[in-house]
Amino acid sequence: MRPFHEEEIEVLELEKTSENFDLVVFNDDVNTFDHVINTLIEICEHSSEQAEQCTLIIHYKGQCTVKSGNFEKLIPMRQAICNRGISAEIL
């Protein structure tokens, strides 16, 4: 039987920097699949397959991260998505 000993483990805490924000789109009962898909293609530059997958995740899970990156880059994307009547936040 091995003797028990404690080890100290260093835990690194990630801080939000300007490079690791998420643009999250939320589900609603108003917008159609096609509207959300077209929005993701036009604004987030998704491929049609990627936009369809994100839209399904939004529908079934309630939300989906559609883009990650620099906060300043995500601000106009969020605004454009919201201008189309789709709920989105930068987290």
Side-chain angles (χ1 to χ4, degrees):
M1 186 178 233
R2 297 169 123 190
F4 176 79
H5 62 76
E6 276 188 47
E7 286 184 37
E8 279 191 35
I9 300 174
E10 187 175 332
V11 176
L12 299 176
E13 191 171 316
L14 294 177
E15 293 181 23
K16 286 282 185 189
T17 66
S18 63
E19 295 298 320
N20 64 348
F21 285 87
D22 295 326
L23 178 57
V24 179
V25 173
F26 297 93
N27 189 35
D28 62 36
D29 294 331
V30 178
N31 293 292
T32 65
F33 279 82
D34 286 339
H35 179 61
V36 177
I37 289 168
N38 290 332
T39 298
L40 295 177
I41 291 170
E42 293 170 18
I43 294 171
C44 298
E45 300 177 348
H46 283 197
S47 67
S48 59
E49 293 83 10
Q50 184 180 13
E52 288 175 24
Q53 289 174 352
C54 285
T55 302
L56 286 171
I57 292 169
I58 293 165
H59 178 72
Y60 288 109
K61 300 279 186 175
Q63 67 184 47
C64 180
T65 297
V66 296
K67 203 74 162 177
S68 295
N70 181 293
F71 188 79
E72 288 74 27
K73 178 182 175 186
L74 297 178
I75 290 172
M77 288 182 181
R78 179 197 174 271
Q79 188 61 48
I81 291 170
C82 290
N83 287 345
R84 293 182 182 210
I86 300 170
S87 179
E89 293 293 331
I90 299 172
L91 305 174

